[in-house]
Amino acid sequence: GGGGGGLEGDTWEEERMAAQQPEAPVYRDRKVVVGIGTYALCAFMFILLDELFPLYASYAPELGGLGFDTKKIGFALSIGAVCTVPWLLFGYKPLVKKYGAVRSCAIGSSVFIFVATLTPLMSAFRKSPGLLWGYIALNGALRGVTASTIFSCTAVLVNNAAPPGKLGFVNSLGQFAASLLRTVGPSLGGLLWSIAVTLKDVRGHQALPFVVLGGFCVLQLLVTWACPESLNKARKA
């Protein structure tokens, strides 16, 4: 019994000493930086895809687009949202339980690279409505599943990266970084699309913005890989 009391006393003493130590600023904390970086880049790549897809889908079919009206674009986008709910209810928890938040995020990010870069492949099925909508459904379902997985995991990583007593501050930093990149996303999407349109005589020009998006997805995956496995659990010190 006495040993337990001594251990508790030692732990309390360590915490008291740690509290007296001058704290390093959070921007020099590797766990905080990679946690926030993963979350912000995740927000950025999804807002960029949300900007690019309607531009591509409404683009003239003879130039490599789908020639969709707003109703068809809305329907195509809704597929991902519909798939998100059952995934979060039945698929997400077993995935994270087996692999942890860091690896689950990396798995989602890896799949999303293909979801994003292969989006313009829809043009190849344009003359066959059954195949076209089958591919749109597959792409939308994977987009919904990967988006919900990555967002949920990165939110966990940001929370677990926070040093004791800094949870609110680190969360605010994460939201600020994500909001900053979200404001850049639509502008960059529009710029990339306008560049692609100027190359309309080049075959496959409509895929260029999605290839650039794929590059950002790879960057996000690299930052996720930089996250230590310890971020699967909340920090104690």
Side-chain angles (χ1 to χ4, degrees), residues 87-97 104 148-149 152-153 156:
W87 170 252
L88 285 175
L89 287 173
F90 305 110
Y92 173 73
K93 198 174 274 186
L95 180 76
V96 174
K97 194 174 181 182
S104 296
S148 54
T149 301
S152 301
C153 289
V156 170

Side-chain angles (χ1 to χ4, degrees), residues 59 62-64 195-208:
Y59 197 47
E62 60 272 17
L63 292 175
I195 291 170
V197 170
T198 61
L199 301 169
K200 62 179 181 288
D201 296 328
V202 180
R203 186 178 171 85
H205 66 278
Q206 75 278 8
L208 173 68

Side-chain angles (χ1 to χ4, degrees), residues 68-84:
F68 280 5
D69 56 20
T70 50
K71 190 176 178 182
K72 282 184 178 177
I73 292 171
F75 183 69
L77 289 171
S78 68
I79 295 170
V82 169
C83 295
T84 299

Side-chain angles (χ1 to χ4, degrees), residues 180-230:
L180 201 63
L181 288 184
R182 275 195 185 107
T183 57
V184 176
S187 307
L188 181 62
L191 176 65
L192 289 172
W193 189 256
S194 62
I195 291 170
V197 170
T198 61
L199 301 169
K200 62 179 181 288
D201 296 328
V202 180
R203 186 178 171 85
H205 66 278
Q206 75 278 8
L208 173 68
F210 295 94
V211 173
V212 175
L213 170 57
F216 285 117
C217 296
V218 170
L219 175 63
Q220 194 268 343
L221 177 60
L222 291 174
V223 177
T224 303
W225 276 340
C227 292
E229 290 284 323
S230 58

